[in-house]
Amino acid sequence: MYEKDGEKYYVVDAHVHIWDGRESNQKNVHGKQFIDCFYDYHRNLSPEEVVWDYDTYTYYGGQRLMKDVFEDGYADHAIFQATLLSDFYKTGFGQTEEAFGLASEHPDKLTYNHAYDPRNGEAGLEQLRRDAERMNLKGVKLYTAEWHGDSRGYKLDEPWSRRYLEECLELGIKNIHVHKGPTIRPLDRDAFDVADIDKVATDYLDLNFIVEHVGLPRLEDFCWIATQESNVYGGLAVAMPFVHARPKYFAQIIGELLYWLGEDKILFASDYALWTPKWLVEKFVDFQIPADLPEYAPITTAQKKKILGLNAAALYGLDVPAELRLPTDAGDAPAEVAAGARS
Amino acid sequence: MIAVASTSQSQSLSDRVLAALSAVTDPELDEPITDLGFVRSVRIENGNVTVHLRLPTSFCSPNFAYLMASDALDALRKVERIGDVVVQLDDHHDSDKINAGLAAEAGYVGTFGVEAEESLDELRRIFWVKAHTAAMERCAEQLLRSTEVTVDDLHLVTLADVPDGAHKEALLRRRVAVGLGVDPADRLVVDDEGQALAAADVPLRLRFAKSVRISMEGNAHFCRGLLATRYGSTA
């Protein structure tokens, strides 16, 4: 919970990791390049006083996460999003078992989302069933751009992917987080392309599709699709730190998202440990659309409360204390057209 | 930092080389690679030119990396009285592959083999269309802010109504790239195929165009910032 100026905010960090990018876990030079790239993101967009040293950044473990996200970071709840990258790291980049173990220890604080790859066919489906039961999955995180043998990515609307989505429906996995953002080596297949979200969102209305990184670097494509689908959400991971580094650009992103998606479909996320949530929460609560962007209405406190936690709480059925709720429920407004165009 | 040999004979060649490189754009950002700091070095010896390019992260898309490197090579080869040309991409996870492909003139499919399914023409076109959309929005926004033109008038506004300047020049370049006309009587606000829009459709078209512009500008901020983080003061 975060409190400022008498207002109390229920905070859900909808995208956190425990990763191991240390040299000892790197399979090849790409493993080093990948963690170095993350570290550049971290250094480029963080305030100077919260920049970590490189060794801490490559591996920090569960206890540090608990401190940074919950003790210092104001989060009431956080959601692990799996990042496997098995081609780059010996035990994977995201430490799935460690994260799952931590979530099992703190079920009130942490939700663990696992991953699957539809290119694993029938065997992967079996694995998904076992994982769903063991891990009590409510969500998955998909990397459509991940390499897999000769394949340089897949689309959500391909036949095997559809079978997996149907299995998710069967298993009660409702929240499908999809990485559509800074790239992991796609080639001619444009893995940023969000068009596949459009197709499956229409076909699977009982699933929620959370587009991580709000489609950056193709914000407009994401907005255009999300505005036409009632079950498409935007995760702010990687967009959030612009609140400090490029506040005007952040204002434009939030302004566009509020116009196209509406206030019920935007989810706060730090992408920890890319960034720590503490300063992001503080700066977002203090943030306001600048006067030289009169095309956007000011962000209200209620909108900030929804974005910071209430929207994610609605998706994951989290029990929000009464004093932290809004008078009406967040996350249930229909949005068949541009949210801004309705008003 | 761009280091150029400064003998009197190569000076004019170096000007021509830099002019050629400044015409090469990042397809996604629609800005010259010279402005973005992607040109690490230019070396000229006896009329032969070696250019090193660099990108904000080693994980920049290989297709964009290849596009920029091959565009640079093509642009340099058209420079008057130039000798051998070598373009090398540094510090990319596909540097070796791309550099070998460029040297062998293998093309995109030839460079990436089984990993590439088709050439990059369609991808390039997608980003030209985006660049045109953003340029159109800048011109429309300029008219709305600085003249009597209102949104209700915009569907009738022609290129002749757009004041001369950088925005208009950029728009005309993009129109040529996507195959649209540049006749002064052509409409400013058009769809992706260049068709004029009904008055009622203009606001949503502009709204979308605005998000295209913001997206491209934001990406450029991000890339510049990352490049500076990666290479420090030399960026």
Side-chain angles (χ1 to χ4, degrees), chain A residues 185 187-188 218 220 295, chain B residues 28 63 94 117 130 210:
Chain A
R185 276 204 83 171
L187 240 24
D188 50 325
R218 316 281 166 75
E220 73 281 14
E295 60 267 50
Chain B
E28 182 152 42
N63 45 16
D94 279 328
E117 288 172 352
K130 282 177 189 278
K210 182 185 180 69

Side-chain angles (χ1 to χ4, degrees), chain A residues 30 33-35 37 39-41 43-45 88 147 150 152 182-190 192 216-221 223-224 238 242 246 249 252-253 255-256 259-260 275 292 294-296 338 341, chain B residues 28 56-64 91-94 97 108 112 114-120 123 126-127 130 141 145 204 207-208 210-219 221-222 224-226 229-230:
Chain A
H30 303 321
Q33 290 173 331
F34 188 79
I35 186 67
C37 170
Y39 192 55
D40 283 351
Y41 282 19
R43 287 192 298 157
N44 176 32
L45 293 180
F88 296 170
W147 285 39
D150 279 347
R152 300 306 176 238
T183 174
I184 318 293
R185 276 204 83 171
L187 240 24
D188 50 325
R189 258 173 201 269
D190 183 359
F192 293 126
L216 296 175
R218 316 281 166 75
L219 178 70
E220 73 281 14
D221 292 341
C223 287
W224 189 249
V238 179
F242 288 109
R246 300 268 178 186
Y249 174 52
Q252 290 173 316
I253 294 177
E256 292 299 310
Y259 176 83
W260 292 101
W275 297 280
D292 63 344
E295 60 267 50
Y296 304 118
Chain B
E28 182 152 42
T57 87
S58 66
F59 282 88
C60 289
S61 284
N63 45 16
F64 292 124
D91 299 344
H92 191 270
H93 57 69
D94 279 328
K97 200 174 260 189
Y108 176 68
F112 287 102
V114 67
E115 301 169 21
E117 288 172 352
E118 52 201 34
S119 76
L120 293 171
L123 188 71
I126 287 171
F127 286 96
K130 282 177 189 278
E141 200 60 41
R145 288 188 183 212
L204 193 61
R207 190 71 218 200
F208 179 70
K210 182 185 180 69
S211 65
V212 172
R213 172 178 61 78
I214 288 169
S215 193
M216 295 180 81
E217 289 175 357
N219 295 336
H221 291 319
F222 197 27
R224 285 177 202 277
L226 277 175
T229 300
R230 192 177 190 199

Side-chain angles (χ1 to χ4, degrees), chain B residues 24-96:
Chain B
V24 177
T25 57
D26 177 314
E28 182 152 42
L29 309 178
D30 193 33
E31 293 190 31
I33 58 172
T34 45
D35 289 358
L36 289 163
F38 293 175
V39 179
R40 173 177 251 170
S41 66
V42 176
R43 180 170 300 281
I44 300 176
E45 278 176 300
N46 303 323
N48 302 321
V49 176
T50 303
V51 171
H52 282 263
L53 304 179
R54 62 184 178 187
L55 295 171
T57 87
S58 66
F59 282 88
C60 289
S61 284
N63 45 16
F64 292 124
Y66 183 84
L67 267 178
M68 283 184 269
S70 62
D71 283 358
L73 192 57
D74 290 345
L76 290 169
R77 286 193 172 138
K78 289 179 190 151
V79 170
E80 209 180 321
R81 293 193 303 282
I82 200 165
D84 295 338
V85 177
V86 174
V87 173
Q88 294 230 303
L89 178 64
D90 299 343
D91 299 344
H92 191 270
H93 57 69
D94 279 328
S95 281
D96 292 347

Side-chain angles (χ1 to χ4, degrees), chain A residues 5-274:
Chain A
D5 299 332
E7 295 285 351
K8 293 178 177 176
Y9 300 81
Y10 183 79
V11 177
V12 179
D13 192 335
H15 197 136
V16 302
H17 310 267
I18 297 176
W19 66 55
D20 183 355
R22 286 175 293 189
E23 196 179 348
S24 55
N25 192 33
Q26 292 166 9
K27 219 179 222 180
N28 47 40
V29 67
H30 303 321
K32 172 163 174 52
Q33 290 173 331
F34 188 79
I35 186 67
D36 286 356
C37 170
F38 267 29
Y39 192 55
D40 283 351
Y41 282 19
H42 171 74
R43 287 192 298 157
N44 176 32
L45 293 180
S46 301
E48 209 171 315
E49 64 273 16
V50 297
V51 171
W52 292 9
D53 66 83
Y54 182 77
D55 285 343
T56 306
Y57 195 77
T58 55
Y59 182 74
Y60 44 89
Q63 291 319 304
R64 169 104 198 204
L65 178 146
M66 295 305 290
K67 182 175 183 340
D68 288 336
V69 174
F70 296 104
E71 283 176 46
D72 298 342
Y74 311 119
D76 295 277
H77 201 92
I79 301 167
F80 279 115
Q81 307 291 356
T83 303
L84 303 182
L85 298 181
S86 311
D87 280 11
F88 296 170
Y89 295 96
K90 293 172 187 166
T91 65
F93 182 61
Q95 299 299 292
T96 54
E97 287 304 319
E98 188 174 6
F100 173 58
L102 200 65
S104 304
E105 270 179 58
H106 304 280
D108 55 325
K109 286 195 162 67
L110 283 162
T111 293
Y112 179 72
N113 282 357
H114 202 49
Y116 66 69
D117 189 327
R119 292 165 297 189
N120 289 328
E122 201 68 58
L125 270 180
E126 269 304 315
Q127 184 67 47
L128 174 61
R129 289 183 198 113
R130 287 196 295 273
D131 290 340
E133 188 179 354
R134 180 169 82 96
M135 298 168 166
N136 186 29
L137 296 178
K138 296 188 180 68
V140 286
K141 164 76 183 301
L142 307 180
Y143 252 104
T144 54
E146 190 156 348
W147 285 39
H148 189 274
D150 279 347
S151 163
R152 300 306 176 238
Y154 66 93
K155 297 285 182 196
L156 290 176
D157 57 322
E158 289 170 2
W160 268 105
S161 172
R162 286 176 177 274
R163 284 187 62 182
Y164 277 66
L165 291 173
E166 280 152 21
E167 192 66 35
C168 285
L169 274 171
E170 288 283 315
L171 296 167
I173 301 172
K174 290 201 60 158
N175 297 315
I176 313 296
H177 295 252
V178 192
H179 177 107
K180 292 288 186 185
T183 174
I184 318 293
R185 276 204 83 171
L187 240 24
D188 50 325
R189 258 173 201 269
D190 183 359
F192 293 126
D193 190 349
V194 291
D196 55 342
I197 300 268
D198 194 10
K199 293 176 186 162
V200 291
T202 306
D203 293 345
Y204 301 99
L205 287 170
D206 290 332
L207 296 175
N208 303 310
F209 293 90
I210 300 100
V211 176
E212 296 296 338
H213 319 305
V214 291
L216 296 175
R218 316 281 166 75
L219 178 70
E220 73 281 14
D221 292 341
F222 164 65
C223 287
W224 189 249
I225 284 164
T227 192
Q228 298 167 61
E229 306 293 342
S230 57
N231 53 339
V232 172
Y233 295 74
L236 286 175
V238 179
M240 272 317 300
F242 288 109
V243 73
H244 157 74
R246 300 268 178 186
K248 185 170 177 183
Y249 174 52
F250 182 77
Q252 290 173 316
I253 294 177
I254 284 288
E256 292 299 310
L257 290 173
L258 285 170
Y259 176 83
W260 292 101
L261 273 80
E263 64 197 41
D264 297 317
K265 298 197 168 163
I266 307 170
L267 273 55
F268 167 76
S270 68
D271 223 338
Y272 182 86
L274 274 163

